[in-house]
Amino acid sequence: MKKRILTVSSANMDFLMNVMQIPLAGQTVSSPGTYSFVPGGKGANSAVAISRLGGESIFCTRLGNDSNGALLRAIYEREGLDTRFVFTDQAAPTGLAAIMVEPSGQNRIIVFPGSNNCVCEDDIESAMLSRPDALLMHMEIPSSAVITAARYASEKNIPIIIDAGPAKKDFPLDRLPKLKIFSPNETETEIFTGISPGSPDNCLRASMALSRLVDAEYYVLKLGDRGCYIYDGKYYHCLPAYDTNVVDTTAAGDAFTAALTLEYLRCGDIVRAGKFANAVGAVTVSGSGALPSLPTGSDIAQFIRDKGEKI
């Protein structure tokens, strides 16, 4: 039976710009690169990744009553998401993310939240009726919505996974109930703890600092091309990344956390789930755009076979 994962999070239309250089302050640059509008948003990326990887994906978010919102809803339905809890906001526009991608694959993102800021308690209460096996969230919606959803899930003993992006220094972590997994990337880890996880020792120090800020069973640091670091309060595991051709890092972290959540529900082994998530992240960065780069379960199976490994 498929694992049912409810994602309460954000949905955006992404304005994706492939540029040769990032302009300096006051500078205008004419770029020979390309641009396009593609579906994105951390929540939508994770929800679609779950579906493509073989999970039953339920999505709770808000879209604007505009052309971007209508287009995104149609895409989610085509991807097989349960969209009963994708609500249309009559006042705010659909969220927009402006993404500049350099030749190295590194990106810079500015998000205009729009309707994402309108996700409310009524939306969450309705979505919880879907009886999910786990709740996945990001911090791209209001802090109050994240806390409300977490408390609803906690009351029903539903495992809670939080991808801590984008990090908010003032997020009241102490108001969260017990989590199953808390997963920031390198930048987010440093924002919360003041410690850059640039070495194994600093990863441990940062993980211990996180454990004093938020109560979770597992802390999973996303380390980009260095893989991930898993800490359970007593033991740690450093899982190296897979070698791959980096084209665009957009959505890699969202796909990683979605894969980590799904595989952990399927096997109950956080290390195996981390290795699977590393593979999903590697395949994601080898493509361009957010949703277009997300792999399927068969893509990951082939990738792992090609690497001559087993997970």
Side-chain angles (χ1 to χ4, degrees), residues 6-179:
L6 169 62
T7 302
V8 177
S9 192
S10 56
N12 293 324
M13 182 62 77
D14 288 354
F15 177 32
L16 179 64
M17 297 165 276
N18 293 294
V19 300
M20 297 305 296
Q21 68 179 93
I22 302 298
L24 302 174
Q27 180 185 23
T28 299
V29 174
S30 178
S31 178
T34 60
Y35 69 88
S36 58
F37 289 90
V38 296
K42 300 184 78 62
N45 295 339
S46 289
V48 171
I50 289 164
S51 181
R52 290 188 184 178
L53 293 170
E56 185 174 345
S57 185
I58 308 156
F59 192 25
C60 175
T61 193
R62 275 195 173 250
L63 302 172
N65 186 20
D66 49 32
S67 58
N68 281 341
L71 178 58
L72 291 177
R73 183 182 293 274
I75 290 171
Y76 303 154
E77 292 173 351
R78 189 166 65 243
E79 289 285 348
L81 273 59
D82 181 339
T83 59
R84 289 176 294 163
F85 312 107
V86 175
F87 300 99
T88 298
D89 196 276
Q90 298 302 319
T94 299
L96 176 74
I99 305 172
M100 291 180 284
V101 182
E102 299 176 80
S104 66
Q106 187 58 255
N107 61 35
R108 288 172 170 80
I109 304 174
I110 300 174
V111 176
F112 300 89
S115 54
N116 292 307
N117 274 345
C118 302
V119 175
C120 63
E121 183 173 353
D122 288 346
D123 300 343
I124 294 163
E125 186 174 4
S126 297
M128 284 296 171
L129 297 175
S130 63
R131 301 170 66 90
D133 294 311
L135 169 66
L136 171 60
M137 293 186 290
H138 309 77
M139 294 182 173
E140 217 168 36
I141 57 175
S143 301
S144 58
V146 174
I147 292 167
T148 296
R151 288 180 173 174
Y152 269 111
S154 179
E155 290 170 2
K156 298 178 182 296
N157 294 315
I158 296 169
I160 305 161
I161 296 87
I162 292 184
D163 182 316
K168 302 175 184 179
K169 183 65 175 178
D170 61 348
F171 187 98
L173 295 172
D174 59 340
R175 293 179 59 193
L176 290 169
K178 174 81 172 187
L179 308 180

Side-chain angles (χ1 to χ4, degrees), residues 110-302:
I110 300 174
V111 176
F112 300 89
S115 54
N116 292 307
N117 274 345
C118 302
V119 175
C120 63
E121 183 173 353
D122 288 346
D123 300 343
I124 294 163
E125 186 174 4
S126 297
M128 284 296 171
L129 297 175
S130 63
R131 301 170 66 90
D133 294 311
L135 169 66
L136 171 60
M137 293 186 290
H138 309 77
M139 294 182 173
E140 217 168 36
I141 57 175
S143 301
S144 58
V146 174
I147 292 167
T148 296
R151 288 180 173 174
Y152 269 111
S154 179
E155 290 170 2
K156 298 178 182 296
N157 294 315
I158 296 169
I160 305 161
I161 296 87
I162 292 184
D163 182 316
K168 302 175 184 179
K169 183 65 175 178
D170 61 348
F171 187 98
L173 295 172
D174 59 340
R175 293 179 59 193
L176 290 169
K178 174 81 172 187
L179 308 180
K180 178 61 70 173
I181 299 171
F182 186 74
S183 182
N185 65 17
E186 294 168 283
T187 300
E188 294 149 6
T189 297
E190 186 169 6
I191 288 172
F192 283 125
T193 68
I195 302 169
S196 175
S199 67
D201 284 347
N202 276 0
C203 284
L204 179 57
R205 290 178 58 232
S207 296
M208 293 174 66
L210 284 173
S211 71
R212 294 189 290 270
L213 296 172
V214 58
D215 186 11
E217 187 171 342
Y218 300 109
Y219 304 86
V220 181
L221 310 187
K222 296 184 285 284
L223 304 176
D225 60 6
R226 293 189 291 127
C228 68
Y229 184 96
I230 300 171
Y231 177 69
D232 67 2
K234 183 180 293 186
Y235 303 105
Y236 65 85
H237 303 272
C238 298
L239 305 181
Y242 290 92
D243 290 332
T244 191
N245 178 40
V246 178
V247 174
D248 180 4
T249 59
T250 305
D254 310 329
F256 175 98
T257 311
L260 182 77
T261 301
L262 179 59
E263 189 64 11
Y264 180 76
L265 289 178
R266 292 194 289 214
C267 71
D269 184 334
I270 193 65
V271 174
R272 174 174 170 173
K275 292 177 180 178
F276 181 78
N278 274 349
V280 170
V283 175
T284 301
V285 300
S286 67
S288 181
L291 260 63
S293 68
L294 298 174
T296 64
S298 58
D299 292 334
I300 300 306
Q302 184 61 54

